Amino acid sequence: MKFKSVLFSALFGLSSLVLLQACNSNNGSKQAGKKAGDTTAKAKGEEADTLSVVKSTYPPIDKALYDSLLKFNAHNDTSGRWPVKNQPYPLGGAILPFKRVVSYYGNLYSKKMGILGELPPKEMLAKLKGEVKAWEKADPKTPVQPALHYIAVVAQGDGGKDGKYRYRMPFKQIDSVLVLAKKAHAIVFLDVQVALSNIQAELPLFEPYLKMPQVHFGMDPEFSMKDGSKPGKKIGTYDAADINYVSNYLANIVKKNGLPPKILVVHRFTRKMVTNYKNIKLHPEVQVVMDMDGWGEPDLKTGTYRYFINQEPVQFTGFKLFYKNDIKKAPHHMLTPAEVLSRYSPYPLYIQYQ
């Protein structure tokens, strides 16, 4: 199986490095000391949607319905891998598998990192609404939850003052995304590219946001450079231990603040990007999505999903669609929702557009 295009989807990741032109790398760590969720931050004159956190009681999930939806989304799997066995039932208020999440990915500083930052906000939200409708039409059984997936820590080409080769977005930018999300009735994902830093140093910075019930988290192994390489030179990696650290951290936030389960998205398009997947631990407070993050022609993406997502089951699956990179090679076609649903087992319940 030829994986060249997907294996080198790191090239799309190099677009992250364009932030070097928009951001002063010497300020790479300045934002760490500021408090997130500052309600004085505004986007176009509107206060950020920093919801006060009040412990709430969410009705317990319908376990019979949950089981039936897992079976439905296994999509006639005959391998025995799906649905994942012995997974815990989630707390009340869980999004998956009751809804499919359809998200727009990117960064407000760059038009090259994804559709979220490429279009003016009003146009972007209208386009997202169109994709939501397309998925609802393709799978009427599964309601769609729109989402904005924001790259909050970006790998970059300059080491910055601390030599970590990552830039932490100003919290006012995250506040702006929360405002946009509220307009679209969308949830928010904060995504982290650690570069030469590590997830243990970056994740706690976002706890004030993660205490909000509508904010979830994404971690990108592609830019986790454990061997000290500069981001973009090779594909990085996370181990199950890193993923367990994040899921444990999120689970504690959920328990302490009476929140519905968090969704944790882990991007993946090679085997080495996630090591020891069998050791990933699941929690009632966290729903783990392994997201097929590679770009390329349809057959290439299908092979990647089969080998690195289907054959190494964790809990839920995701699939990424690229408006530009997926059409670079023949047949110059980005998969439609109906085509994704016809090709993949299990059905991906998290869809990301870049």
Side-chain angles (χ1 to χ4, degrees):
M1 181 67 190
K2 178 173 71 70
F3 294 111
K4 183 176 180 181
S5 294
V6 176
L7 288 175
F8 283 90
S9 70
L11 293 177
F12 93 80
L14 290 176
S15 65
S16 300
L17 307 185
V18 302
L19 278 180
L20 185 59
Q21 301 172 1
C23 307
N24 184 344
S25 63
N26 290 330
N27 294 329
S29 299
K30 287 184 179 180
Q31 298 302 326
K34 295 184 180 180
K35 291 184 178 180
D38 181 358
T39 55
T40 63
K42 296 185 179 181
K44 294 189 176 181
E46 297 182 56
E47 288 194 357
D49 181 23
T50 49
L51 301 179
S52 59
V53 178
V54 179
K55 289 194 174 184
S56 303
T57 300
Y58 295 86
I61 66 160
D62 183 330
K63 292 183 178 180
L65 176 60
Y66 184 86
D67 289 338
S68 69
L69 291 175
L70 289 185
K71 184 176 181 180
F72 168 76
N73 285 294
H75 191 192
N76 301 317
D77 176 75
T78 59
S79 69
R81 290 186 286 267
W82 302 92
V84 172
K85 298 177 178 62
N86 301 318
Q87 61 173 290
Y89 286 108
L91 298 181
I95 293 175
L96 306 174
F98 304 102
K99 295 181 179 180
R100 173 175 284 108
V101 176
V102 174
S103 72
Y104 266 13
Y105 173 93
N107 183 282
L108 297 181
Y109 276 145
S110 174
K111 293 184 177 182
K112 296 183 179 180
M113 291 178 64
I115 191 68
L116 175 58
E118 182 177 350
L119 299 177
K122 186 175 181 180
E123 185 178 344
M124 180 270 294
L125 293 179
K127 190 174 179 68
L128 173 59
K129 185 176 181 180
E131 297 294 3
V132 166
K133 289 182 178 179
W135 280 96
E136 289 173 337
K137 181 178 180 181
D139 179 12
K141 184 180 178 68
T142 308
V144 174
Q145 171 61 61
L148 299 181
H149 196 119
Y150 187 65
I151 313 169
V153 178
V154 184
Q156 62 172 9
D158 188 280
K161 286 186 176 180
D162 60 2
K164 299 300 184 182
Y165 288 88
R166 53 89 179 90
Y167 185 84
R168 294 165 174 162
M169 293 298 104
F171 290 125
K172 65 181 180 180
Q173 292 289 331
I174 300 174
D175 292 339
S176 297
V177 173
L178 289 170
V179 170
L180 293 174
K182 186 176 182 180
K183 292 179 179 179
H185 304 288
I187 59 176
V188 170
F189 288 84
L190 299 180
D191 203 274
V192 169
Q193 301 173 353
V194 299
L196 271 65
S197 180
N198 56 67
I199 198 67
Q200 291 81 3
E202 303 301 325
L203 172 60
L205 301 176
F206 301 102
E207 181 165 344
Y209 288 109
L210 292 167
K211 289 179 179 179
M212 302 177 189
Q214 80 276 33
V215 178
H216 303 266
F217 195 72
M219 55 193 301
D220 196 343
E222 181 178 357
F223 301 102
S224 172
M225 316 311 297
K226 290 179 177 292
D227 65 355
S229 300
K230 293 181 181 180
K233 299 296 184 182
K234 59 187 295 187
I235 298 170
T237 185
Y238 275 131
D239 186 72
D242 299 301
I243 297 170
N244 288 340
Y245 166 79
V246 175
S247 61
N248 284 333
Y249 196 100
L250 296 176
N252 285 333
I253 290 176
V254 168
K255 287 184 282 190
K256 289 178 182 178
N257 296 281
L259 302 175
K262 296 294 182 185
I263 299 175
L264 170 59
V265 172
V266 183
H267 304 290
R268 187 180 193 184
F269 56 86
T270 72
R271 179 158 283 116
K272 291 183 179 180
M273 284 176 74
V274 176
T275 55
N276 299 309
Y277 82 95
K278 291 183 180 179
N279 294 335
I280 295 173
K281 297 179 181 179
L282 302 179
H283 304 269
E285 299 85 5
V286 180
Q287 300 191 289
V288 180
V289 173
M290 302 303 294
D291 176 40
M292 202 298 282
D293 192 38
W295 60 267
E297 58 271 30
D299 287 347
L300 187 61
K301 293 172 77 79
T302 297
T304 304
Y305 189 89
R306 178 185 301 122
Y307 289 110
F308 306 134
I309 303 298
N310 175 288
Q311 293 185 12
E312 296 198 358
V314 176
Q315 190 174 23
F316 298 101
T317 70
F319 193 82
K320 192 164 183 176
L321 293 160
F322 294 78
Y323 283 116
K324 296 178 180 178
N325 286 353
D326 280 355
I327 64 173
K328 285 184 175 181
K329 295 185 178 181
H332 308 291
H333 172 69
M334 187 182 77
L335 292 166
T336 66
E339 289 170 331
V340 171
L341 293 173
S342 69
R343 280 174 174 256
Y344 301 121
S345 174
Y347 291 133
L349 282 172
Y350 173 83
I351 304 296
Q352 185 179 94
Y353 285 90
Q354 178 166 339

